[in-house]
Amino acid sequence: MDPRQIGTDIPKQSLKRWRKSYDALGEEGLLSERRGRGSTGRPVRRNLSAEEQLKKAQAKIKYLEAELELLKKLEAAERRLRK
């Protein structure tokens, strides 16, 4: 991977964070995953109520319909350009 794609600061920040973990907790600090408050990881999945599931599904359907419309428009525009 070309470092210019992610920037030069990201790898430096990661190394700095890993060194800090190693200094504080030794090798275990690098092996264990410590997520908690302030974590940037994925949110914890929880069981959704039927109403929440329905709202989520409706939002996804709406998004996919919009995406399909966009793709149809792009395809039509490409066909026009080929003619």
Side-chain angles (χ1 to χ4, degrees), residues 8-27:
T8 57
D9 289 340
I10 300 298
K12 289 177 184 177
Q13 291 170 358
S14 294
L15 285 171
K16 184 177 178 180
R17 188 173 55 252
W18 295 340
R19 285 185 184 122
K20 185 177 177 182
S21 291
Y22 184 80
D23 289 343
L25 303 169
E27 190 175 333

Side-chain angles (χ1 to χ4, degrees), residues 28-39:
E28 182 62 30
L30 299 176
L31 298 175
S32 66
E33 185 174 341
R34 297 176 333 277
R35 292 189 184 191
R37 191 173 190 174
S39 172

Side-chain angles (χ1 to χ4, degrees), residues 26-68:
E27 190 175 333
E28 182 62 30
L30 299 176
L31 298 175
S32 66
E33 185 174 341
R34 297 176 333 277
R35 292 189 184 191
R37 191 173 190 174
S39 172
T40 59
R42 290 185 178 180
V44 177
R45 290 192 174 219
R46 61 181 177 88
N47 293 331
L48 301 176
S49 68
E51 185 176 315
E52 289 172 322
Q53 288 177 348
L54 179 60
K55 285 182 181 179
K56 189 174 180 178
Q58 287 172 336
K60 187 171 185 174
I61 290 169
K62 191 173 182 179
Y63 172 82
L64 292 172
E65 286 173 342
E67 184 178 42
L68 181 60

